[in-house]
Amino acid sequence: MTSNVRVRFAPSPTGFLHVGGARTALFNWLFARKHGGRFVLRIEDTDVERSSQEVIQAIIEGMMWLELTPDEGPFFQSNYGEQHRATARQLLESEHAFRCFCTREALDARRQLAESEGRVWRYDRACLSLTEQEKQRFLRQGGPYAVRFLVPQGTTSFNDFVHGVTEFDNKEIEDFILLRSDGSPTYHLSVVSDDIRMRITHIIRGDDHLSNTPKQILLYRALGIEPPTFAHLPMILGPDKKRLSKRHGAVSVLEYRDMGILPEAMFNFLALLGWSPGDDRQLLSRQELIELFSFEGISRAGAVFDLQKLLWLDSQYINRLSVEELLPRVREVLRRDGLWSDDLDGPRRPWLVSLIELLRPRSRTLWDFATDGRAFLTEDFRVDSEAARKYLGEEDTGQRMAALAEALEKAGDWNPEPLERALRDLADSLGVSAARLIHPARVTLTGKAVSPGIFEVMAVLGRERTLYRLRRAATAAPISIH
RNA sequence: GGCGCCAUCGUCUAGGGGUUAGGACGGGUGGUUCUCAGCCAUCAAACCGGGGUUCGAAUCCCCGUGGCGCUGCCA
């Protein structure tokens, strides 16, 4: 299906791709995909001081991670300054805009005066009533001027796809600046000029832009162009219900990648923040999301980012992905923890698959495979002191471990069932509960008080390593209790 | 200050004139069990306040309160 739907994601490169930006990009992407339209990336880098190549790269990297691939772009707003100026000139010629010669100082003085008198300050249109001669004189003197938009009387309303009909009295809007006195275009001008050039049909953005919308609509009208449709998304908030910022919550979506979150889970999670499919489903694939997406499902209230739910969703994805999809990602974390060796993708691949299957039911992030998998991959693992104190403290623990090694060695097949039988038989003949063998064995074999079922652990750990560790426990100095 | 937006369990939300106000995350309890996770069962937990309209309001309207946003020669 193709259509003329064109949407854009237009981040300013002031930070990283934070979750709010990512969610905005995601909804734009979903809408484009749903309607067979085009998703365009435009970097709003007009404030050059704050732009840097790394920051732009970080935004693109974040989008790539979530597979929010733009159909067009990235375009850079800073490349279109000339066009923005031409748009301003057009407005000037059609008398929808005027030159303002007021200096910042003069403006500040008048603003302060107004405020001290308790009046609401809006630009007083001083320069609008300048005579032709005065204007010419300013111009001849080469006096710098800004170009202001002449806000018409009346009211501006639009039908926001999320909020419904929204109306503003133009009296509330001052004659905002289009072109600064150094000739550079401001945000409203640039955005409108760009969106017109790019033939954007739907503007989907954060609702912090709701109050900016009438200004932009006025600009479209003055230019004789039908404004696009607007849809303003609720903000994403931190746990304190405040707008998410560097101070709380995450900064960049890539931080979640580094935390071991799967992009599929993040995508799903972000889609559910401020949007609902209308039923009780929580796990939605990309394809389902595309099909179900609609503005009706978007809520109007801000949404708190809930890390607990993200982690839960991630565990769901970890347990639903095929091993083929999971393995390359587990490889990455193992690599980073220095636990990888290439034969794990060669001769030992089947073994790695069994390890992944063993570990995945209790994994919430990719990193869990590295931390819980460590004892399976190297002898260099730590024994949790708390676990040791609790389960390895008794005098005869070592002997029992040695006896267990003997019993297991004679168990026959190195599989969970025979191993369990051997252990339980030993417990019987020793006259102790199975637990008195199991718990110390767990700590001995994994270094931890919690692990998957001990017989599965033994099976995956392998005969050599299991017996070695149990016997080492017998010969090692008794665990000192401190 | 002005203007705008918003308001259902702790969180994400469904619903929307008459419902036991539903689901999910998280939490509690019990079961399964070698621990944990899981799974199963189960419990607690919400319509911001006040006025209207109405036979009936969480739902519609108004006011208030609170939160957020905009109010720049920032974007």
Side-chain angles (χ1 to χ4, degrees), chain A residues 35 144 214 356:
Chain A
H35 296 285
I356 289 174

Side-chain angles (χ1 to χ4, degrees), chain A residues 267 383 394 458 463 466:
Chain A
F267 192 98
V383 176
E394 290 173 24
M458 290 173 179
R463 185 188 185 98
T466 303

Side-chain angles (χ1 to χ4, degrees), chain A residues 65-138:
Chain A
W65 179 57
L66 290 167
E67 290 183 55
L68 296 171
T69 316
D71 299 310
E72 296 173 26
F75 298 105
F76 295 89
Q77 191 161 63
S78 58
N79 290 154
Y80 297 91
E82 208 36 65
Q83 182 206 288
H84 302 156
R85 276 185 284 279
T87 305
R89 227 173 292 129
Q90 184 187 337
L91 256 8
L92 217 38
E93 278 157 23
S94 62
E95 298 188 338
H96 286 100
F98 61 95
R99 294 180 177 85
C100 173
F101 299 93
C102 299
T103 61
R104 270 178 209 261
E105 295 70 34
L107 250 17
D108 282 346
R110 275 181 274 162
R111 179 179 304 132
Q112 274 173 30
L113 178 65
E115 278 165 13
S116 69
E117 290 172 359
R119 299 195 329 262
V120 180
W121 164 261
R122 256 176 232 107
Y123 177 67
D124 54 11
R125 294 192 164 173
C127 292
L128 191 57
S129 46
L130 251 32
T131 65
E132 201 52 42
Q133 284 125 319
E134 288 171 312
K135 278 190 252 184
Q136 288 308 322
R137 202 181 65 229
F138 272 123

Side-chain angles (χ1 to χ4, degrees), chain A residues 19-94:
Chain A
V19 288
R23 205 264 319 248
T24 300
L26 179 106
F27 282 12
N28 273 284
W29 184 89
L30 286 176
F31 185 71
R33 290 288 81 87
K34 167 142 187 170
H35 296 285
R38 308 277 288 174
F39 172 58
V40 186
L41 173 61
R42 181 177 76 223
I43 307 286
E44 311 230 313
D45 60 341
T46 45
D47 190 356
V48 187
E49 292 170 34
R50 290 199 289 187
S51 302
S52 75
Q53 207 47 50
E54 302 91 270
V55 160
I56 293 166
Q57 210 34 58
I59 289 173
I60 293 174
E61 200 182 340
M63 290 175 72
M64 293 299 123
W65 179 57
L66 290 167
E67 290 183 55
L68 296 171
T69 316
D71 299 310
E72 296 173 26
F75 298 105
F76 295 89
Q77 191 161 63
S78 58
N79 290 154
Y80 297 91
E82 208 36 65
Q83 182 206 288
H84 302 156
R85 276 185 284 279
T87 305
R89 227 173 292 129
Q90 184 187 337
L91 256 8
L92 217 38
E93 278 157 23
S94 62

Side-chain angles (χ1 to χ4, degrees), chain A residues 10 56 64 161 167 182 200 231 340 357 369 384 409 463:
Chain A
I56 293 166
M64 293 299 123
F161 267 20
E167 194 173 78
D182 67 357
I200 299 303
W340 181 258
E357 295 292 15
F369 286 100
D384 180 75
E409 194 165 31
R463 185 188 185 98

Side-chain angles (χ1 to χ4, degrees), chain A residues 206-394:
Chain A
D207 69 13
D208 48 341
H209 285 292
L210 199 57
S211 311
N212 290 327
T213 305
K215 291 181 196 165
Q216 293 170 15
I217 286 181
L218 254 13
L219 246 22
Y220 278 96
R221 297 235 172 92
L223 291 163
I225 287 167
E226 188 60 29
T229 298
F230 291 87
H232 287 95
L233 273 18
M235 295 279 103
I236 296 179
L237 314 171
D240 55 359
K241 291 245 181 198
K242 294 225 187 283
R243 190 182 179 174
L244 214 47
S245 74
K246 285 128 214 152
R247 302 218 69 178
H248 39 271
V251 235
S252 165
V253 288
L254 295 178
E255 235 167 75
Y256 294 97
R257 175 195 64 186
D258 297 341
M259 206 183 275
I261 301 289
L262 298 169
E264 291 91 334
M266 192 67 186
F267 192 98
N268 191 152
F269 176 73
L270 252 18
L272 253 25
L273 256 195
W275 177 82
S276 160
D279 58 31
D280 290 337
R281 279 179 290 179
Q282 308 291 327
L283 283 120
L284 283 323
S285 71
R286 247 164 206 269
Q287 198 49 45
E288 287 172 312
L289 255 7
I290 290 169
E291 283 157 19
L292 291 165
F293 183 77
S294 93
F295 290 113
E296 270 98 274
I298 296 178
S299 62
R300 281 148 307 193
V304 175
F305 187 95
D306 182 6
L307 184 61
Q308 287 305 318
K309 186 155 182 180
L310 207 212
L311 290 170
W312 171 78
L313 260 177
D314 202 46
S315 74
Q316 297 298 309
Y317 276 87
I318 282 176
N319 283 286
R320 273 157 222 263
L321 245 41
S322 67
V323 189
E324 288 67 39
E325 291 171 289
L326 205 50
L327 199 141
R329 307 166 198 233
V330 172
R331 176 173 52 211
E332 267 323 293
V333 293
L334 294 184
R335 250 195 202 124
R336 291 208 204 178
D337 266 9
L339 296 170
W340 181 258
S341 72
D342 284 335
D343 58 351
L344 288 171
D345 218 356
R348 291 172 72 208
R349 188 185 157 104
W351 177 80
L352 179 60
V353 167
S354 66
L355 178 62
I356 289 174
E357 295 292 15
L358 179 70
L359 263 20
R360 83 199 294 195
R362 58 216 85 205
S363 299
R364 297 212 298 173
T365 72
L366 255 14
W367 284 111
D368 290 337
F369 286 100
T371 53
D372 295 341
R374 184 168 197 97
F376 292 87
L377 292 156
T378 173
E379 290 304 317
D380 177 25
F381 64 95
R382 286 201 41 196
V383 176
D384 180 75
S385 57
E386 187 63 36
R389 191 173 314 156
K390 194 163 175 193
Y391 294 117
L392 302 181
E394 290 173 24

Side-chain angles (χ1 to χ4, degrees), chain A residues 346-480:
Chain A
R348 291 172 72 208
R349 188 185 157 104
W351 177 80
L352 179 60
V353 167
S354 66
L355 178 62
I356 289 174
E357 295 292 15
L358 179 70
L359 263 20
R360 83 199 294 195
R362 58 216 85 205
S363 299
R364 297 212 298 173
T365 72
L366 255 14
W367 284 111
D368 290 337
F369 286 100
T371 53
D372 295 341
R374 184 168 197 97
F376 292 87
L377 292 156
T378 173
E379 290 304 317
D380 177 25
F381 64 95
R382 286 201 41 196
V383 176
D384 180 75
S385 57
E386 187 63 36
R389 191 173 314 156
K390 194 163 175 193
Y391 294 117
L392 302 181
E394 290 173 24
E395 306 258 324
D396 60 340
T397 303
Q399 288 154 302
R400 274 186 287 149
M401 291 302 99
L404 179 58
E406 298 313 310
L408 295 176
E409 194 165 31
K410 288 178 249 161
D413 291 343
W414 196 260
N415 285 317
E417 300 77 24
L419 293 172
E420 176 160 12
R421 218 176 303 121
L423 181 142
R424 291 193 187 279
D425 287 348
L426 176 65
D428 280 347
S429 64
L430 255 36
V432 299
S433 70
R436 302 240 329 198
L437 294 174
I438 288 171
H439 292 300
R442 170 172 289 112
V443 180
T444 301
L445 297 177
T446 70
K448 296 169 201 247
V450 287
S451 81
I454 194 66
F455 306 107
E456 283 73 26
V457 166
M458 290 173 179
V460 173
L461 190 59
R463 185 188 185 98
E464 299 306 315
R465 276 197 154 139
T466 303
L467 297 179
Y468 168 71
R469 288 182 193 173
L470 289 172
R471 285 178 174 137
R472 187 184 52 185
T475 56
I479 305 289
S480 61

